[in-house]
Amino acid sequence: MAENQRNWNAPPGERGGDRRSGGERGGEDGGLRHALAVAMVPEIDELTRRVVADIHAHSDAYASGTTVSHDDLWEICRDNLLRALEDFGGLPPSAGDFEHAARETGRRRAEQNVPLDTVLQAYRRGGRVMWQVMAEHLRASRTGRAGRRDTADRADGTYGAGRTGDGGRAYGADPDTELDIAGAVWETIDRYSLVMAESYRLTQLEMQGRQDTRRVALFEALLDGRGDDPAVASAAAAALGVPVHDRYVIVVATQDPAAPPNPAPVLDDHGIWSFWRPRSGRYAGIVRLAAGESGVLLDLLRRRTTATAGVSPEFDRLSQSGRALRLAEQALRTLPAGSGEAAAFDDRLPEVLLVGRPEIAERLVTAYLGSVLDTAAERDTLLDTLRVWLDNGCSAARAAEQLYCHRNTVLNRIGRIAELTGRSAESGEARLGWALALRALPLSGTEDEPGSAEAAPGGPGGPVPA
């Protein structure tokens, strides 16, 4: 049996069992396989009909005829059965190599998006029916041999075993050989199934590559502003698998060494759909948001990706992606490189205005904070106090709580700033100027950004001297 299995796996024409003769099991096996194939090939259309009917009876996917038409299934089944029979029986191939039909089946079904398990099940059903038909031939042969044996015994005292009359139907095989034939059938079906599955997977990979290329090209078209063409927007929506109209933002993230390649896996873990592409040394992504997820997105970008990122305002049509990209890039430019900070465009409007006009940013800093910056010993403490005071609505009491100092200390420092700058702390114009100058400071190039509040003498990390 082991020797016969080695023969089944050998290429056609090299199977020792197919070529041996005499009383050896291999010769009997090969002769029976040959005889069965010769008998069944002329009946290939009837065999195909039975296989197609069996597949339809056991598979709703095929029976519906929606994805795979009846003619398609008939053609592919007939081709597979014919080549399998020729291969099984050691017959010369009627067209091309034996495995061509299996490869074509895998390619075609992958392109039709039929699940691989469904196709493999159809192969098993086909193998089952093919063995049923072979068993019918063997039973008919045994019945015929029994009648002929009685006649031969009376005529010359011999038995009819080994004769192949009646068009090859009197096969003369013993039961062990018939069992070996059953195994050979399933070895053949399994081998063809593996060839089909490999072709299916290769086709899927090729299709995925083409789909990825198309998806990227259409996403780039959206970012380039070509989404105003309804055909482009519609094609991009189909390729990306999202609606033309929904809630979206564009995110531009720097490719920081410490950050993951792109934020997609992090967002996907939280049920947020996104699509990303490297673009000019950065990652540009489109993110689909549910109501109230803007804050979640910013939090995930800050805490889970550590990428420095700018986020556009929300928009509701894919055609607006190009404009949103420009706004996200402007928001990103307001953030210090490598800071790991994420900022929404709408939260950085003053900075967006200033970063686009560096000469104005520089002048704001000089005009409103220049004299404060010149006081090296007091600079960080005064700037931190001014920032906290402005952020708390110019309330000395609330600022003092945050700075861990007395209310009068805050008032003294604000008074010192007013003295240095020559502006009144009660003036709305002065307060606006100071607020803009603080935002312009890290953007202007005039001076490094002030030290952190923790490092400053008057920061939250310790008491503030009066």
Side-chain angles (χ1 to χ4, degrees), residues 86-322:
E86 291 172 343
D87 188 6
F88 173 82
L91 305 179
S94 55
D97 65 277
F98 288 116
E99 295 177 349
H100 172 77
R103 288 195 298 270
E104 175 63 15
T105 303
R107 182 196 65 78
R108 192 181 301 183
R109 296 297 176 256
E111 291 178 346
Q112 293 166 331
N113 209 25
V114 180
L116 179 57
D117 285 347
T118 301
V119 189
L120 287 170
Q121 183 186 35
Y123 263 74
R124 290 191 292 272
R125 301 306 308 180
R128 180 175 179 274
V129 173
M130 189 166 77
W131 170 241
Q132 286 176 342
V133 174
M134 286 184 181
E136 292 169 6
H137 279 270
L138 292 170
R139 283 194 295 270
S141 173
R142 285 195 295 272
T143 302
R145 287 201 307 273
R148 285 190 294 278
R149 186 178 298 120
D150 291 342
T151 303
D153 289 344
R154 289 192 297 271
D156 55 15
T158 61
Y159 289 94
R163 297 181 182 182
T164 57
D166 296 333
R169 292 184 181 276
Y171 305 114
D174 62 65
D176 286 342
T177 300
E178 292 181 4
L179 289 175
D180 289 349
I181 290 298
V185 170
W186 288 108
E187 286 284 345
T188 302
I189 296 301
D190 285 347
R191 182 158 50 84
Y192 278 63
S193 296
L194 288 173
V195 171
M196 181 279 296
E198 181 181 7
S199 176
Y200 184 102
R201 294 188 181 100
L202 286 174
T203 302
Q204 271 194 326
L205 289 174
E206 292 171 0
M207 291 170 58
Q208 184 64 46
R210 292 194 296 268
Q211 290 171 356
D212 288 346
T213 299
R214 176 175 172 78
R215 189 178 295 117
V216 168
L218 287 167
F219 181 54
E220 290 288 343
L222 291 178
L223 296 183
D224 289 341
R226 287 179 278 157
D228 289 333
D229 182 343
V232 172
S234 178
L240 295 170
V242 293
V244 173
H245 296 274
D246 209 331
R247 297 165 60 96
Y248 298 104
V249 294
I250 295 292
V251 181
V252 178
T254 56
Q255 295 177 325
D256 297 337
N262 72 65
V266 170
L267 301 185
D268 187 60
D269 286 345
H270 289 77
I272 299 177
W273 177 90
S274 63
F275 182 79
W276 299 80
R277 282 293 299 166
R279 187 180 173 92
S280 302
R282 300 171 179 171
Y283 269 98
I286 183 169
V287 182
R288 185 182 181 190
L289 296 175
E293 283 187 336
S294 295
V296 175
L297 171 63
L298 286 169
D299 188 54
L300 289 173
L301 291 172
R302 289 172 183 141
R303 293 190 303 106
R304 297 292 305 279
T305 73
T306 69
T308 306
V311 182
S312 77
E314 291 186 14
F315 57 98
D316 59 8
R317 295 192 306 277
L318 286 180
S319 59
Q320 298 171 319
S321 299

